[in-house]
Amino acid sequence: MFKNEMKLEFPSKSVNESFARVVVAAFASQLDPTLEELSDVKTAVSEAVTNAIIHGYEDTEGMVTLRCKIEDNKLTIEVEDNGKGIENVELARQPLYTSRPELERSGMGFTVMETFMDSVEVFSEPGKGTTVIMTKTFKSA
């Protein structure tokens, strides 16, 4: 069984979203993904990290933790913030719902993650933060 993992912490600055995306893509490349699989993962990571920055920390700054684990041909990605948390996770997962309409966000972040990944779990506690766990099994590995 092939196994590998990594952890990255970075400040919740929007410039770090593309950095996180590239790091995950480089880590996932061990699985010899197709360009489409890699694009799917990068898109989902972008959404999760952007949510942590924009919604988790709003107008403050904190740390975002990114963990990736590979077991055989399955990639698990965790994006965690210690921000304000989500009051109602089920509502937040509804397409077009946004807690920050003034930013003209589409409210499609979780929907996008669910579209591109095999599974998406969201754990959140108001005042403590949110963790999004996404998995994808690679056909090419």
Side-chain angles (χ1 to χ4, degrees), residues 82-128:
N82 297 307
K84 70 176 205 154
I86 301 171
E87 290 286 335
N88 183 333
V89 172
E90 287 310 306
L91 180 61
R93 290 182 79 148
Q94 295 301 310
L96 304 180
Y97 174 80
T98 180
S99 63
R100 309 271 318 261
E102 75 280 7
L103 296 179
E104 296 181 19
R105 307 290 300 170
S106 70
M108 294 297 286
F110 286 122
T111 304
V112 168
M113 290 178 233
E114 289 164 355
T115 300
F116 291 113
M117 301 297 281
D118 296 336
S119 72
V120 177
E121 294 177 282
V122 182
F123 302 95
S124 190
E125 194 175 331
K128 299 225 168 144

Side-chain angles (χ1 to χ4, degrees):
M1 177 162 129
F2 179 76
K3 210 172 168 182
N4 197 6
E5 57 188 280
M6 69 98 178
K7 176 181 171 183
L8 175 70
E9 293 180 323
F10 52 88
S12 60
K13 298 177 185 292
S14 58
V15 294
N16 287 330
E17 174 270 324
S18 59
F19 171 63
R21 193 174 61 215
V22 169
V23 168
V24 173
F27 185 76
S29 68
Q30 315 168 52
L31 293 169
D32 194 25
T34 64
L35 287 175
E36 184 180 358
E37 287 172 328
L38 210 49
S39 177
D40 291 353
V41 167
K42 287 163 70 175
T43 300
V45 168
S46 290
E47 293 296 333
V49 169
T50 297
N51 276 359
I53 293 168
I54 289 178
H55 299 290
Y57 291 112
E58 287 193 334
D59 300 320
T60 63
E61 193 175 293
M63 296 301 285
V64 176
T65 303
L66 174 66
R67 291 180 193 86
C68 294
K69 182 168 59 176
I70 292 173
E71 289 183 78
D72 292 326
N73 61 337
K74 181 175 154 188
L75 174 67
T76 302
I77 302 164
E78 276 183 47
V79 177
E80 178 185 343
D81 68 67
N82 297 307
K84 70 176 205 154
I86 301 171
E87 290 286 335
N88 183 333
V89 172
E90 287 310 306
L91 180 61
R93 290 182 79 148
Q94 295 301 310
L96 304 180
Y97 174 80
T98 180
S99 63
R100 309 271 318 261
E102 75 280 7
L103 296 179
E104 296 181 19
R105 307 290 300 170
S106 70
M108 294 297 286
F110 286 122
T111 304
V112 168
M113 290 178 233
E114 289 164 355
T115 300
F116 291 113
M117 301 297 281
D118 296 336
S119 72
V120 177
E121 294 177 282
V122 182
F123 302 95
S124 190
E125 194 175 331
K128 299 225 168 144
T130 302
T131 301
V132 176
I133 302 173
M134 305 177 286
T135 65
K136 186 169 190 71
T137 301
F138 289 80
K139 314 291 184 267
S140 53

